[in-house]
Amino acid sequence: MANLASTLNEEQLQILKDAALDFALSHGLVVRPPPPAHTNHTDSYDAATLQGGVINAPVALFPTPFPVKAFNNAVKIQPLYNQLVHDISQDDAFLKEIMESLSTVDDFVKRLYDLYLEVKKEGIAQSASLGVHRSDYIIHLNSGQDFSEAEIKQVELNTISVSFGSLSSLTGDLHRYLQATTGYFSDKIDSSALPSSDSIESIASGLASAHKHYGSKTAKVMMVVQPGERNAFDQRWIEYNLLKKHRVVLIRKTLAEIADHGRLDPKTKALYIGDQEVSVAYYRSAYATTDYPTEKEWEGRRLAERSLAIKCPTVAYQLVGTKKVQQVLAAPGQLERFVKDPETVAQLRASFTGLYPLDSSPEGLAAYEAALMNSDELVMKPQREGGGNNIYGKDIQESLRTLTAEQRNAYILMDIIRPPITKNVLLRKGQLQRADVVSELGVYGIYLHDGYKVIRNDNGGHLLRTKGVESNEGGVAAGFAVIDSVLLV
């Protein structure tokens, strides 16, 4: 399979391309195009398409080989990560240790932590919490190690606005369709090695469970979205499945609209948008500073966080997703604060890669000095989501020299994971590109807790993102990668 993408001729690739584009447009595997001002003049779309139409979501034309042992392990440990997020979110002292220091150098984290403290002081109106998480991994292959024995290493754990649950399922459907109808002009792909992902349904199912727990049949789930969302179709599938399979209506509101039209019932703190009661506030925004251009957006977030609506996620869950928490958990003895079973600790630690602080601790100072000497095998990560924020290679040294000791605390260092390189053909905006690629696996988790006990703790499907080897970043929405699916080997 690794060589199949390079062996097919142009006529065969054109047949696959045409079939893939028709499938994508027929099944909602699409995104809105960027605004004309951000569109390269060489793109092949006319003005009408750019202003109001859709384009195919960026996808890989072929599924990418992935070791079955590593895939099954990632799926197996996702419920462990779901539980870990919740347990950390309940530990005020642990969060205080990390967030108070981060708050001095990161204004965004400070606003989130201040909101967390305000709601705790006022009294939490809703004890239940819903998590829709995604743990992202790259497979690591040691020198001389067989591909089938490669191990997963965690890149990050996302706790807010995890995307592409719907489009990843559809991309798997696309690859199974192409295999069934063309065989990929080869006998190298077995359909049984193309696992389906139920993430297109699991996220809606999780929201439905939270809505049911809320207890009002007339209330609605609210998806908190960004203005002018290009990835709306990934989100719409959640809305459609929520209605079709669970008979629950979803409304879409921005943070500013919540501030303008929202209110809390003075007795129950139920959240109303106009006359519509909200059962679940599900965030597909609110993860970056750009989502809060004015104080109005913070007012909207504050109103929702103080309300009776079940949050997905709570601000506590969001704080647990910061890179600093990931780095601290990798330190000796820290994971054991939350996980008592030695076997579970071993399973989680096996997925960790090298993580180092950049604070004023002896470990942080040692990591700083080491990075100034050699940063080729490191990545420097801030407390940001959304792609495009990491620093690599020699740029790390330049950045470290410009930061004060206090400012360095806003970052962590991570060992670069070197995955195996394969070949694929990428389909972007209707055009094909042959490329040497690497891939990143994301596993979704659905977790619902009522404040006293776990109601749901499930695996929620998977996502594969594939990018050219020349790209350091991996975000599809940020324009670095394409959506893919796994071919288990």
Side-chain angles (χ1 to χ4, degrees):
M1 167 58 204
N3 296 320
L4 183 57
S6 59
T7 58
L8 297 191
N9 61 43
E10 294 303 316
E11 181 181 359
Q12 291 169 325
L13 287 179
Q14 186 65 41
I15 291 172
L16 292 174
K17 169 190 166 181
D18 291 343
L21 286 174
D22 285 351
F23 183 97
L25 293 171
S26 299
H27 290 79
L29 182 51
V30 293
V31 295
R32 289 198 174 101
H38 297 87
T39 303
N40 191 298
H41 70 279
T42 61
D43 290 342
S44 61
Y45 291 91
D46 59 27
T49 300
L50 290 172
Q51 289 172 7
V54 297
I55 56 177
N56 69 280
V59 296
L61 201 58
F62 300 87
T64 292
F66 201 93
V68 63
K69 182 178 177 181
F71 177 83
N72 289 338
N73 186 38
V75 171
K76 178 182 177 181
I77 65 176
Q78 185 56 43
L80 305 181
Y81 272 115
N82 294 343
Q83 187 63 52
L84 180 62
V85 169
H86 181 78
D87 291 343
I88 295 173
S89 76
Q90 302 302 298
D91 192 323
D92 292 340
F94 181 80
L95 290 178
K96 181 179 180 180
E97 290 173 27
I98 296 175
M99 299 307 156
E100 283 192 347
S101 61
L102 270 185
S103 293
T104 64
V105 292
D106 191 312
D107 290 340
F108 183 59
V109 170
K110 183 180 188 305
R111 292 297 298 263
L112 292 174
Y113 186 55
D114 285 348
L115 179 57
Y116 165 82
L117 293 175
E118 177 187 352
V119 173
K120 291 281 288 187
K121 182 178 180 180
E122 179 181 313
I124 296 174
Q126 176 57 260
S127 60
S129 52
L130 174 65
V132 175
H133 310 311
R134 194 187 69 223
S135 188
D136 292 339
Y137 306 94
I138 294 176
I139 53 173
H140 179 72
L141 199 61
N142 293 315
S143 178
Q145 189 178 31
D146 186 77
F147 181 76
S148 64
E149 295 301 314
E151 300 174 334
I152 55 168
K153 294 298 177 183
Q154 189 184 60
V155 178
E156 61 186 355
L157 178 59
N158 304 279
T159 58
I160 183 170
S161 188
V162 297
S163 59
F164 295 109
S166 301
L167 298 193
S168 61
S169 291
L170 294 172
T171 301
D173 292 344
L174 166 65
H175 290 158
R176 283 184 290 276
Y177 166 76
L178 293 176
Q179 193 280 333
T181 56
T182 71
Y184 278 107
F185 305 103
S186 167
D187 58 359
K188 296 182 179 180
I189 299 182
D190 183 350
S191 60
S192 65
L194 299 174
S196 61
S197 170
D198 64 353
S199 49
I200 194 170
E201 298 178 355
S202 68
I203 296 175
S205 173
L207 293 170
S209 294
H211 172 82
K212 180 180 179 181
H213 179 75
Y214 183 82
S216 170
K217 293 184 178 180
T218 59
K220 295 177 173 59
V221 170
M222 176 178 68
M223 185 184 290
V224 186
V225 298
Q226 296 172 329
E229 175 63 74
R230 290 186 58 216
N231 194 31
F233 304 98
D234 181 61
Q235 300 168 357
R236 290 291 188 182
W237 275 109
I238 298 171
E239 175 186 348
Y240 302 151
N241 280 325
L242 194 58
L243 180 60
K244 181 178 181 180
K245 299 189 176 183
H246 306 281
R247 307 185 77 175
V248 176
V249 175
L250 181 146
I251 60 175
R252 296 168 61 88
K253 298 294 176 183
T254 65
L255 287 170
E257 288 171 333
I258 296 172
D260 284 339
H261 306 295
R263 62 180 175 86
L264 300 187
D265 182 280
K267 292 182 178 180
T268 66
K269 289 190 178 179
L271 174 62
Y272 287 84
I273 306 297
D275 60 354
Q276 296 177 324
E277 185 178 2
V278 174
S279 58
V280 182
Y282 168 49
Y283 289 95
R284 291 298 294 262
S285 65
Y287 56 84
T289 54
T290 51
D291 290 321
Y292 303 85
T294 70
E295 281 300 309
K296 178 177 287 189
E297 284 74 21
W298 282 110
E299 291 171 13
R301 180 67 187 273
R302 179 175 176 269
L303 190 68
E305 195 68 24
R306 294 174 55 232
S307 77
L308 186 65
I310 297 174
K311 272 69 71 178
C312 180
T314 63
V315 69
Y317 278 15
Q318 184 174 356
L319 290 170
V320 174
T322 57
K323 307 301 185 294
K324 185 64 178 178
V325 170
Q326 181 187 12
Q327 177 264 308
V328 169
L329 286 176
Q334 292 292 341
L335 180 60
E336 289 78 0
R337 290 176 63 168
F338 306 99
V339 183
K340 304 306 179 185
D341 176 51
E343 183 178 347
T344 300
V345 169
Q347 288 178 309
L348 292 173
R349 282 204 177 278
S351 69
F352 291 176
T353 189
L355 294 157
Y356 316 99
L358 279 171
D359 53 23
S360 57
S361 68
E363 296 81 7
L365 294 174
Y368 169 70
E369 295 293 340
L372 287 178
M373 295 292 293
N374 183 5
S375 58
D376 291 344
E377 296 300 313
L378 295 169
V379 54
M380 184 170 160
K381 307 180 81 170
Q383 316 302 317
R384 292 286 180 270
E385 303 294 342
N389 300 298
N390 296 333
I391 305 168
Y392 296 85
K394 299 299 183 185
D395 292 339
I396 293 176
Q397 297 178 358
E398 182 179 341
S399 296
L400 288 177
R401 293 188 181 101
T402 63
L403 296 172
T404 66
E406 184 180 47
Q407 289 171 334
R408 293 199 303 267
N409 192 41
Y411 297 83
I412 66 165
L413 288 173
M414 185 179 83
D415 287 339
I416 282 186
I417 308 165
R418 299 293 185 187
I421 298 172
T422 59
K423 294 184 181 295
N424 212 315
V425 180
L426 312 183
L427 178 57
R428 299 178 188 270
K429 301 177 183 178
Q431 305 301 311
L432 296 179
Q433 174 193 359
R434 295 179 186 263
D436 293 331
V437 299
V438 293
S439 298
E440 184 173 312
L441 176 71
V443 179
Y444 296 94
I446 310 298
Y447 184 90
L448 179 62
H449 198 285
D450 68 1
Y452 304 96
K453 63 182 183 300
V454 179
I455 299 175
R456 283 189 64 169
N457 185 6
D458 303 326
N459 178 284
H462 60 272
L463 158 73
L464 195 72
R465 288 172 293 175
T466 291
K467 63 184 180 181
V469 294
E470 72 281 354
S471 172
N472 283 320
E473 298 286 356
V476 177
F480 302 108
V482 301
I483 310 170
D484 199 351
S485 73
V486 298
L487 172 67
L488 296 179
V489 296

